[in-house]
Amino acid sequence: MSDKSVLCRKSLPLIQDHLLTPEWRDPRIGIVHLGIGNFHRAHEAVYTEEAMLAAGGDWAICGVTLQGDVTKRDALMAQDGLYSVVERGAEGVKTTVLRALREVLALPHDRARLFELLADTNVRIVSLTVTEKGYCRDTKTGDVDHGHPGIAHDLAHPGEPGTVPGILVAALRMRRDACIAPFTVLSCDNLSHNGAALRQVVCSHARMLDEALASWIEREVAFPSTMVDRIVPSTTNADRDAATAALGLRDEAPVPCEPFRQWVIEDHFPAGRPAWDQAGAQLVDDVIPFELAKLRMLNGTHSTLAYLSMLAGFETIDEAISFGPLRTLIHSMMTQEIAPTLSVPASFDLMAYRDALLDRYANPALKHRCAQIAMDGSQKIPPRLLATIATRLEHGESIARLALGIAAWFVFLCGRADDGTTFVISDPLASQLTALATHSGDDPKSLVDAMLGCRDVFSLELASNEVFRRALIEAVTQLKTGARSAIEKTNHKASETKSASRQNL
Ligand code: CS2
């Protein structure tokens, strides 16, 4: 424990060099954010502080953790909501103390205070970064998952919600009944059509409780979509020590991140919004092209890198991408298997985007752990890789590299790396998936057939596609000889196929 005094509002005059500007007029809370994780604190919170400095407005943030864990709340509230954003890039390290976060709550402990804020007319946006699993979504229908235990609780106790759909429905009902205009609901998660996906989950939950309320939400509440992008690793003790050394004050909750950031937002905010455009965000009519490009090019290759690395023994993304054959695989995966499935504005150069992603992955200062990305594969794989694969199959195009990414996930779920190291699987479906993987024995066919039988991940249509199944069996067979050699074999075979198809032209 450092002997330095803790970062707090009184200490701000001591660290003016680490503030965006010395002036700060203490705006009122205008945004409630569900899921006060590192990503939000390095992304939306940064854009929002910059927007308020540029154009004013009462848009301070109240962050809410839904996990019942009070440590994050207490650490941030002990610092008056202040924390460092620590950008690590080629130009070195930049430590900036953020002030936009005014209050932090932890459910279920602070539910009364949360609903007091959700009823406040100045709260005009409720944003979310709760990861894919936080939507409690039935992946087959897109409606709320009625079998989810949290949803069952919130249906039985609508006044004491703990899930995202339950909280939003209860808050919107409260505003409707008090004739207060609704807030805008802003999804900032890596889901395709994230605004529409959240709207469907919320309205289907509301319908279970009150048909008229569901209709009111459908008619009156805005759910704009966004594409969010910034690589933000988890915080380590080394980050805490580095931030403390930079500030000369103890910061228990710094957020490490890359210098790059991007935010593309559907401009639909009936109750108003911060001047995010003056902080570099892109306000557009149609987010989808940007969202799909990021979800497939970045997140799809991120997951592929993570699973192959967990088998090959690469600890971080920069270490993984420095393995030549793996960089070659990812480069050609984006070029030949992902980019052709995307349609983006003419101004969006997908090959330049690919090269920028490879540079971002190679950032040696970030130490972004593959194990962090490998979590929750059952929620991440479908939007990041399966949608791309389905498009490729529909057009009869190759999927060899994409299939290797899925096959690496299957082998990862067996819980053992190539060198025999074992790891624990962190996933909402961990028990179901690890049972399928480990009970299928060593035969690639039985592993593939067992995993394809998981309807929570694979649609019947995709699971029945023989081209997909054979590609997976071939990839799993190659992975049995080790991830590094499987990567090299896949590269070699793909380049052979490419030169053969050139000769046939
Ligand atoms: C990563 C994302 O952890 C993961 O699954 O792929 O958090 C990724 O770092 C962000 O989407 C980048 O914008």
Side-chain angles (χ1 to χ4, degrees):
M1 185 65 183
S2 157
D3 59 352
K4 301 255 191 275
S5 49
V6 170
L7 172 64
C8 64
R9 286 188 181 280
K10 277 190 290 203
S11 61
L12 286 178
L14 304 174
I15 50 167
Q16 301 229 346
D17 294 347
H18 294 280
L19 302 174
L20 290 172
T21 64
E23 302 77 40
W24 186 249
R25 57 178 188 76
D26 254 355
R28 287 181 56 201
I29 292 171
I31 297 172
V32 168
H33 185 81
L34 305 181
I36 187 70
N38 275 12
F39 183 81
H40 167 75
R41 294 195 290 137
H43 187 267
E44 180 183 333
V46 172
Y47 279 99
T48 302
E49 175 151 339
E50 289 187 10
M52 286 194 278
L53 290 173
D58 282 313
W59 295 107
I61 298 166
C62 169
V64 187
T65 171
L66 308 178
Q67 310 304 325
D69 169 13
V70 296
T71 43
K72 184 178 292 183
R73 174 197 68 182
D74 294 349
L76 283 163
M77 290 305 277
Q79 299 181 177
D80 299 327
L82 302 173
Y83 61 90
S84 319
V85 173
V86 185
E87 293 180 16
R88 300 186 189 288
E91 285 74 42
V93 179
K94 185 179 157 201
T95 303
T96 306
V97 171
L98 255 293
R99 296 159 294 189
L101 182 65
R102 282 300 302 275
E103 189 171 353
V104 180
L105 304 175
L107 285 192
H109 319 278
D110 305 318
R111 185 179 289 121
R113 173 58 181 156
L114 172 60
F115 277 85
E116 186 187 320
L117 280 169
L118 290 173
D120 182 336
T121 53
N122 196 59
V123 170
R124 289 149 288 162
I125 294 173
V126 173
S127 52
L128 306 89
T129 45
V130 292
T131 77
E132 300 84 344
K133 61 177 179 283
Y135 288 65
C136 309
R137 195 160 165 260
D138 178 332
T139 49
K140 295 181 273 304
T141 65
D143 283 353
V144 72
D145 175 4
H146 302 140
H148 188 288
I151 293 298
H153 169 274
D154 290 359
L155 286 173
H157 309 281
E160 299 162 12
T163 65
V164 161
I167 291 164
L168 292 175
V169 167
L172 289 166
R173 181 208 296 265
M174 186 174 57
R175 292 197 53 142
R176 178 200 63 172
D177 295 352
C179 299
I180 299 172
F183 43 73
T184 296
V185 182
L186 184 64
S187 169
C188 295
D189 280 297
N190 290 321
L191 278 181
S192 174
H193 298 74
N194 54 12
L198 182 53
R199 176 195 177 92
Q200 184 177 345
V201 161
V202 168
C203 290
S204 58
H205 185 73
R207 202 164 295 113
M208 298 291 292
L209 293 166
D210 175 339
E211 183 64 47
L213 175 61
S215 305
W216 182 83
I217 293 171
E218 272 172 352
R219 199 174 53 249
E220 302 295 336
V221 182
F223 290 79
S225 282
T226 69
M227 183 278 268
V228 294
D229 190 2
R230 188 166 221 182
I231 294 177
V232 184
S234 305
T235 299
T236 65
N237 285 332
D239 294 319
R240 292 183 182 91
D241 294 342
T244 300
L247 300 178
L249 295 165
R250 185 72 191 163
D251 181 356
E252 289 297 338
V255 184
C257 62
E258 63 174 336
F260 175 90
R261 71 185 200 212
Q262 185 179 14
W263 198 10
V264 183
I265 310 168
E266 181 186 347
D267 199 3
H268 182 38
F269 293 82
R273 60 167 173 80
W276 283 320
D277 48 315
Q278 295 189 43
Q282 297 158 260
L283 277 295
V284 298
D285 294 334
D286 183 7
V287 176
I288 303 310
F290 299 91
E291 191 179 74
L292 284 183
K294 191 262 178 166
L295 203 49
R296 295 186 179 186
M297 293 277 277
L298 188 157
N299 295 115
T301 55
H302 240 191
S303 292
T304 301
L305 278 164
Y307 297 118
L308 286 169
S309 297
M310 292 299 288
L311 301 177
F314 301 127
E315 177 80 17
T316 58
I317 290 293
D318 61 286
E319 187 187 350
I321 207 76
S322 67
F323 176 56
L326 185 47
R327 190 187 189 287
T328 300
L329 180 95
I330 297 298
H331 182 281
S332 44
M333 184 180 185
M334 286 196 265
T335 310
Q336 292 164 37
E337 296 188 6
I338 299 176
T341 70
L342 298 168
S343 57
V344 292
S347 58
F348 191 145
D349 179 344
L350 279 171
M351 295 304 102
Y353 186 65
R354 170 203 63 199
D355 296 342
L357 284 176
L358 291 167
D359 289 344
R360 291 168 63 191
Y361 291 167
N363 181 349
L366 264 193
K367 299 297 171 226
H368 195 188
R369 292 175 50 251
C370 298
Q372 176 185 342
I373 300 166
M375 291 166 63
D376 298 347
S378 67
Q379 316 291 309
K380 294 178 177 180
I381 293 270
R384 296 179 175 203
L385 288 166
L386 297 187
T388 310
I389 288 170
T391 302
R392 297 285 289 174
L393 290 170
E394 200 180 304
H395 298 92
E397 289 155 348
S398 68
I399 58 165
R401 303 173 184 92
L402 292 159
L404 183 63
I406 305 296
W409 180 53
F410 288 174
V411 177
F412 163 79
L413 289 171
C414 298
R416 183 178 297 276
D418 293 345
D419 67 1
T421 312
T422 57
F423 33 72
V424 175
I425 306 300
S426 175
D427 190 299
L429 303 182
S431 51
Q432 178 189 349
L433 293 169
T434 50
L436 285 172
T438 48
H439 297 160
S440 62
D442 259 350
D443 171 37
K445 278 196 189 69
S446 53
L447 174 59
V448 168
D449 289 340
M451 299 312 299
L452 287 178
C454 178
R455 285 291 155 274
D456 289 316
V457 178
F458 298 97
S459 67
L460 184 59
E461 184 186 4
L462 191 55
S464 317
N465 186 299
E466 194 53 25
V467 172
F468 182 41
R469 176 176 176 270
R470 282 204 307 274
L472 288 171
I473 291 170
E474 180 178 349
V476 169
T477 305
Q478 286 176 356
L479 286 165
K480 290 291 180 193
T481 63
R484 294 170 195 239
S485 68
I487 292 163
E488 288 164 334
K489 284 177 193 162
T490 304
N491 287 340
H492 180 65
K493 185 173 180 198
S495 58
E496 273 188 331
T497 310
K498 196 173 175 196
S499 53
S501 60
R502 276 211 194 101
Q503 281 158 17
N504 293 340
L505 289 177

